[in-house]
Amino acid sequence: MGRVTSDTTATDAAAQHAPEPPGAPPVWQRRLRRFGLPARPQTDVRARLVPAFPESSGRLWAVFGAGPDAAARLTRWSGWLGPLLVALFAGVLRFWNLGSPRKVIFDETYYPKDAWSLLQYGYEGTWAKNANDALVGHPPQLLLSPEHSYVVHPPMGKWLIAVGEGLFGMNPFGWRFMVALLGTLSVLLVCRIGRRLMRSTALGCLAGALLAVDGLHFVMSRTALLDLIVMFWVVAAFGCLLVDRDRTRARLAAALPVGPDGLARPDEGVGDRMRLGWRPWRIAAGLSLGLATATKWNGLYYLAAFALMAVLWDVAARRTAGARHPFRSAVRRDALPAFGATVVVALATYLASWSGWIATKGGYYRDWATSPEGRTGAWTWLPDWLRSLWHYQTEVYSFHTGLTTPHAYQSNPWSWLVLGRPVSYFYEDPKVGQDGCTAAEGCAREVLALGTPLLWWAACFALLYVLYRWLFKRDWRAGAIVCGVAAGYLPWFLYQERTIFLFYAVVFVPFLCLALAMMLGAIVGPPGSTERRRTVGAVGAGVLVLLIAWNFIYFYPLYTGMPIPKSAWHHRMWFDTWV
């Protein structure tokens, strides 16, 4: 053993106070190892940044008689084949007899007519008071005039409804076509999102299947209202952000140094200083959030929530990659590009959605800037169309915040998750021999915007589960789902005096289905569970899914306006508040 000198003593002291390398275990763990505490196995940081999809054994396909080669191909294709089959099922449900009821139901009195007017004039004109009956008359009549009308929602959703009207005419099938298409595509998106989020094709398809049989989503997919269109763009934005998350983390993983054992190691230079470059999927998310906001203003809450969530994902990615100051690094290198890709892109998209109003001269408030009131003020140097548009937006905001007119079907958001007060879009009570009624007691026909009860009540427990996973297990997937629900739900508690309805909740229904799928996956059992544990869990989860499917079938007549005996209708009114 060599002699201890002042030089070696100084060297040892410097080593003791030297900063720990990224990924080094805490001091207390190193001390406990002297007493036999085993060290954690070295893990590849690449696997932590971008977890791989588990490889399927192909046993499922072998059960159906597929050979080894066919089973391998089907396993590779299942990531798209499964979601497409679920979406096909959802599409058949939504498009079947889409034109029934052949009526203008609930708020279809606004948006389909505004959509047709946009096709004709580029802005919303005025319809005669008896226009609803004339639209479905024999022959139908379009009682529209170019006189502008006051509307309180942006035009994007109505432009999409107008696509179906342009293809199939101004009739119930035409004005519901695009909403049904977007409802079907949203099921496909949820399947793919669930697969990427939970790294399981089965759980992704389960989440999509749950959405396919949710009554509120089903009814809103068959009605020409705006809220389902908002939901579609929100889900699309969420999916784009998930893809962006995986791609940027893969870029970080590829830049990390590799040790002699072949495992990637955290690196401060990569984590703190690497720029993440061009991120087209984040721009696509900003475009989608802009389209959501250009349909209804509640898309703004998702814009704020998702933009913040995306930056926090960057903080976590840099921390995992070895950054010593991940929050500071993310703010310096990621926050400004994220703001541009989401907020700026969304704002530009929102303005572009008003192109028809801007390019024409007949829209409401279009010439406000040239009026005596509009010629005064500090912003007269701005273009007239921009000042007129801004004035329009302020008037619309005043309308929305001051809307307190009582409505028979309004509800408080406290009651939404338990389906306290659904909304009746359409109701008739035909006598025997009328409209397909064969019951001597008479029949009832109703379109009721009611979520599938067992699905929603189970989702209440699933929300508690994902909150637990997020708060106590630090599971980012659960946090993302919580963010999706909170951004669509919590803001409505700020408007306790405003007239609001249960069907606004359709925006966060996909996230309820993702939460329920995650909980069902936990019921089945985590990887490594015993065969008995997974069998019992699969049976329990399967029974719940079958009960939800039965519940949807039971209420199906109330979702589609089918004539059923009055007694059968009463049996489905489980609570007095549903009538």
Side-chain angles (χ1 to χ4, degrees), residues 150-405:
Y150 180 55
V151 295
V152 294
H153 291 299
M156 189 63 237
K158 290 169 280 189
W159 277 114
L160 286 173
I161 293 172
V163 172
E165 294 174 344
L167 290 173
F168 302 103
M170 187 57 175
N171 54 69
F173 182 86
W175 65 62
R176 294 169 189 161
F177 174 81
M178 283 302 296
V179 185
L181 179 61
L182 295 181
T184 302
L185 291 177
S186 68
V187 172
L188 176 63
L189 287 177
V190 167
C191 289
R192 293 289 297 177
I193 286 170
R195 179 180 184 271
R196 183 175 290 271
L197 191 68
M198 293 176 272
R199 289 301 194 262
S200 168
T201 300
L203 291 181
C205 290
L206 175 60
L210 291 171
L211 186 63
V213 296
D214 174 63
L216 182 60
H217 185 275
F218 176 75
V219 170
M220 296 298 289
S221 298
R222 292 170 55 87
T223 312
L225 273 63
L226 301 179
D227 299 84
L228 185 124
I229 300 174
V230 178
M231 180 276 304
F232 173 81
W233 293 119
V234 165
V235 171
F238 187 76
C240 290
L241 289 175
L242 277 180
V243 176
D244 172 75
R245 182 184 186 276
D246 278 355
R247 292 198 169 196
T248 51
R249 290 170 77 94
R251 197 174 300 153
L252 283 170
L256 291 174
V258 179
D261 54 2
L263 300 180
R265 297 285 189 266
D267 182 81
E268 180 181 351
V270 173
D272 271 326
R273 291 185 288 276
M274 180 177 173
R275 294 192 178 277
L276 299 178
W278 173 249
R279 302 175 71 168
W281 285 99
R282 181 171 280 185
I283 295 174
L287 175 65
S288 297
L289 291 168
L291 291 170
T293 306
T295 301
K296 286 186 78 172
W297 279 3
N298 54 331
L300 281 170
Y301 296 113
Y302 277 100
L303 174 61
F306 283 1
L308 177 60
M309 180 179 70
V311 172
L312 293 178
W313 283 353
D314 287 344
V315 173
R318 290 186 177 275
R319 180 186 295 114
T320 303
R324 291 194 179 277
H325 307 287
F327 184 80
R328 184 191 308 169
S329 300
V331 169
R332 285 179 177 176
R333 291 175 171 79
D334 304 325
L336 187 59
F339 181 83
T342 53
V343 177
V344 174
V345 170
L347 177 60
T349 304
Y350 183 84
L351 284 175
S353 73
W354 287 88
S355 297
W357 183 90
I358 294 169
T360 58
K361 291 295 184 181
Y364 205 87
Y365 281 133
R366 179 61 182 85
D367 295 324
W368 175 86
T370 59
S371 67
E373 181 185 0
R375 292 195 188 100
T376 60
W379 302 96
T380 54
W381 54 273
L382 289 173
D384 288 346
W385 67 265
L386 185 56
R387 291 191 296 119
S388 296
L389 181 61
W390 177 255
H391 178 72
Y392 197 171
Q393 308 307 296
T394 59
E395 292 297 310
V396 168
Y397 177 77
S398 299
F399 169 84
H400 284 305
T401 55
L403 182 60
T404 57
T405 306

